[in-house]
């Protein structure tokens, strides 16, 4: 891990691969660990410099006030562009997963000169905005039954590493992800979190900071303006953002390729790392 100065903030980053290779920037939701090691390693083996970063109020990045963040989703998109400039490897292939995918959509629209390609994984095209009838469960973004079980699960003692890891494992079981992998990742996130204050741990583990962000303006109507080669990755069994959300994004962005992972849910499983990496590499190296 290292720290890079962005636009008025410090961002924690982790790199894979040679520094002179074309840059792939992975924006998580919220920490670097949203992107699996296996995928990063395969991208690096394919001749890319892979950098995954912590968003504000998480991991090694600037921690301000995760309960009342004084920035917007658009500011986080600006951070991605500033990070490419600071790293000196641009334009970069930008990839975003989950809420990081919303950040990536905004970055591609607001700062197209900073990026050469776009990958959007397990994300949604609308945040915020009116409900769209062409998306599944259009009266609610998520599977109500599973989400009810997930949010009814009691919160852990955020000052207790073991309790937090157990909470993550239980939540993964509810949505169908691998509990053991979730437990291990939660432990790693804990170890990288700057302090044990409950709001800071909550922001790092669950990304709750995003619920307090101003996410305007709505982006979906502008997605046809995206001119970057684009890959949309989505799990067929994703119950948090059902697969129709990925299908909608792929319809809106001209020439986008949709890769549906038949056995995946909300996370990119390790067995799919090779397939996803291959599809990302096929978008080509950074333009010069």
């Amino acid at each position: 891990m290292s720290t890079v100065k962005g636009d008025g903030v410090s961002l924690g980053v982790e790199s894979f691969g040679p520094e002179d290779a074309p840059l792939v920037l992975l924006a998580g939701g919220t920490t670097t660990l949203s992107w699996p090691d296996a995928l990063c390693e395969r991208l690096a083996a394919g001749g890319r410099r892979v950098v995954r970063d912590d968003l504000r109020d998480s991991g090694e990045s600037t921690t301000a006030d995760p309960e009342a963040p004084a920035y917007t989703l658009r500011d986080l998109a600006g951070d991605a562009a500033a990070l490419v400039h600071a790293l000196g490897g641009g334009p970069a292939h930008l990839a975003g997963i989950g809420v990081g995918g919303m950040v990536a959509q905004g970055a591609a629209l607001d700062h197209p000169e900073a990026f050469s390609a776009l990958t959007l994984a397990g994300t949604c095209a609308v945040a915020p905005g009116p409900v769209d009838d062409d998306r599944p469960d259009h009266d609610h973004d998520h599977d109500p039954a599973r989400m009810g079980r997930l949010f009814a699960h009691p919160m852990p003692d955020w000052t207790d590493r073991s309790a937090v890891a157990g909470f993550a494992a239980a939540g993964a079981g509810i949505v169908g992800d691998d509990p053991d992998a979730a437990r291990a990742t939660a432990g790693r996130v804990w170890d990288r979190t700057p302090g044990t204050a409950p709001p800071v741990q909550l922001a790092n583990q669950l990304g709750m900071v995003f619920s307090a962000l101003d996410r305007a303006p709505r982006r979906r109507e502008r997605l046809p303006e995206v001119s970057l080669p684009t890959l949309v990755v989505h799990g067929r069994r994703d119950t948090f953002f059902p697969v129709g959300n990925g299908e909608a994004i792929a319809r809106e962005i001209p020439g986008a390729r949709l890769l549906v992972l038949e056995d995946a849910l909300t996370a990119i499983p390790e067995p799919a790392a090779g397939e996803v990496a291959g599809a990302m590499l096929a978008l080509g190296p950074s333009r010069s």
Side-chain angles (χ1 to χ4, degrees), residues 100-254:
M102 299 176 191
V103 172
Q105 290 170 59
L109 288 166
D110 290 350
H111 309 277
E113 73 289 342
F115 306 107
S116 60
L118 183 65
T119 294
L120 303 170
T123 192
C124 177
V126 287
V131 171
D132 295 336
D133 290 341
D134 66 336
R135 293 189 302 129
D137 303 316
H138 61 265
D139 58 336
H140 197 288
D141 275 346
H142 313 312
D143 178 332
R146 285 182 186 255
M147 292 303 105
R149 290 174 57 207
L150 183 64
F151 290 116
H153 191 65
M155 292 286 186
D157 175 357
W158 293 104
T159 66
D160 183 333
R161 184 185 191 278
S162 178
V164 170
F167 173 80
I174 290 171
V175 301
D177 284 330
D178 182 346
D180 291 334
R183 184 188 302 275
T185 297
R188 292 175 66 189
V189 170
W190 170 277
D191 294 337
R192 299 178 58 255
T193 297
T196 59
V200 176
Q201 283 290 340
L202 182 65
N204 275 257
Q205 294 286 343
L206 299 184
M208 293 302 289
V209 64
F210 289 112
S211 66
L213 286 182
D214 176 1
R215 293 172 290 171
R218 178 177 157 98
R219 300 289 188 181
R220 181 168 184 183
E221 288 76 10
R222 290 192 59 202
L223 288 180
E225 299 173 27
V226 174
S227 59
L228 303 175
T230 299
L231 171 69
V232 180
V233 180
H234 218 99
R236 175 74 70 189
R237 298 166 56 212
D238 190 339
T239 55
F240 197 79
F241 288 129
V243 67
N245 289 283
E247 293 169 344
I249 293 172
R251 285 196 299 272
E252 297 289 354
I253 297 177

Side-chain angles (χ1 to χ4, degrees), residues 68-94:
Y71 52 89
T72 69
L73 211 65
R74 173 166 270 177
D75 291 321
L76 297 179
D79 287 348
L83 185 55
V84 171
H85 178 73
L87 291 168
H93 180 157
L94 176 64

